[in-house]
Amino acid sequence: MKIICIGRNYTEHIEELKNEKPTEPVIFIKPDSAVLPKEQDFYIPEFSNDVHYEVEVLVKIKRVGKHIKEEFAGTYYDEIGLGIDFTARDLQSKLKDKGLPWEKAKGFDGAAVIGEWMPKSNFKDLNNLNFSLLKNGEAVQKGNTSLMLWKIDEIISYVSTFFMLKKGDVIFTGTPAGVGKVSANDYLTGYLEEAELFNVKIR
C-alpha cells in the first residue's frame, strides 16, 4: 500500500503556517514504513525538536483505478477513517527553504497514525463530517470536511491522474488549523463525529 497525502487543503491551516494558497491539490507520499504499528507509542525522533500533530480524515481505496472521473470516485472506497500526519516541522522548514523535498520530515518511521476504519454508509454526508484531536484531554484541532478546498471525490479523481490507485492505498485528506508540537508523555485522541478512532501516547 502507499500513503498519499494532501497538503494545504484547509484555508485556516494555510494561513497559520503562512503558506501560499494553492491553485491545485498539493500531493506528497509517505512510505508504508511510516505507519505506526497498532498499540505502539510514538517516539519523537532524535533528529527533530519540533514534531507537530496534524489530524486528518482518511480514505481507504478498495480497487484499482486510474484517471477516475469525479462522479465515479465514490465507487472506489467504502471506508472512512482518521489519522495523524506527524511532521518534523523544524526539518521541513529547512528543506522548504532550500527548495528540497519533504520526505525526511513527513515520511520517517511512525509518522503516519492510521486509526480504526468505519463504513462510509454510517455517515449521511461525507462532505459534512466533524472531526477533532484532543491532546491530554483538551481539544486542539477541530475540523469539518465541508471546509476542504478539495473534497474527497475531487481528491481521488485528481490523484488518480498521476498515480494508479490500488486496493489498500490510504489517502490523507489534509489537516485543519490548530497543529502544534508534541512532547514526551502527551496523549493524543482522535474523534470522527462521536467515535474515538485512535489514541497515541508520545514518548
Side-chain angles (χ1 to χ4, degrees):
M1 54 91 81
K2 56 184 175 288
I3 303 168
I4 301 166
C5 304
I6 305 300
R8 305 180 190 178
N9 202 21
Y10 288 83
T11 299
E12 290 185 0
H13 174 59
I14 295 170
E15 292 172 351
E16 75 176 344
L17 293 186
K18 297 179 174 59
N19 286 323
E20 184 178 336
K21 188 173 181 179
T23 57
E24 57 187 28
V26 175
I27 301 174
F28 60 94
I29 303 286
K30 288 179 184 267
D32 58 3
S33 55
V35 177
L36 185 70
K38 296 287 186 183
E39 309 301 326
Q40 183 171 306
D41 296 340
F42 173 79
Y43 286 81
I44 297 171
E46 60 184 16
F47 53 77
S48 177
N49 295 311
D50 193 23
V51 173
H52 283 204
Y53 54 76
E54 298 187 12
V55 71
E56 310 199 13
V57 172
L58 312 183
V59 180
K60 184 194 289 184
I61 300 299
K62 70 173 186 177
R63 63 192 182 98
V64 174
K66 177 73 173 172
H67 294 296
I68 300 167
K69 291 186 177 180
E70 185 180 332
E71 57 264 37
F72 301 125
T75 67
Y76 286 82
Y77 64 100
D78 287 332
E79 295 177 290
I80 298 292
L82 198 69
I84 298 176
D85 164 23
F86 279 120
T87 305
R89 192 72 70 201
D90 46 359
L91 181 54
Q92 185 191 35
S93 295
K94 291 177 183 177
L95 294 168
K96 287 170 62 176
D97 287 346
K98 295 178 181 179
L100 297 173
W102 300 350
E103 274 78 2
K104 289 191 291 185
K106 289 280 194 178
F108 57 88
D109 294 350
V113 173
I114 297 178
E116 300 300 321
W117 295 99
M118 299 181 71
K120 70 177 185 182
S121 57
N122 285 12
F123 307 103
K124 291 182 179 180
D125 184 2
L126 298 182
N127 293 323
N128 187 23
L129 295 177
N130 292 302
F131 61 102
S132 60
L133 181 73
L134 276 62
K135 184 172 79 167
N136 305 324
E138 179 181 352
V140 288
Q141 281 190 281
K142 291 183 179 180
N144 186 287
T145 53
S146 66
L147 300 175
M148 288 179 171
L149 298 178
W150 291 278
K151 303 299 190 285
I152 292 172
D153 288 356
E154 291 178 276
I155 290 169
I156 289 174
S157 177
Y158 183 82
V159 167
S160 73
T161 303
F162 302 92
F163 307 111
M164 178 182 290
L165 295 176
K166 294 185 176 182
K167 183 177 180 179
D169 287 350
V170 175
I171 298 177
F172 279 61
T173 61
T175 195
V179 303
K181 182 178 179 178
V182 294
S183 301
N185 299 316
D186 281 344
Y187 191 74
L188 305 178
T189 313
Y191 289 87
L192 182 59
E193 293 294 348
E194 302 301 319
E196 179 183 319
L197 297 192
F198 67 77
N199 56 75
V200 180
K201 178 76 171 180
I202 308 299
R203 298 291 188 183

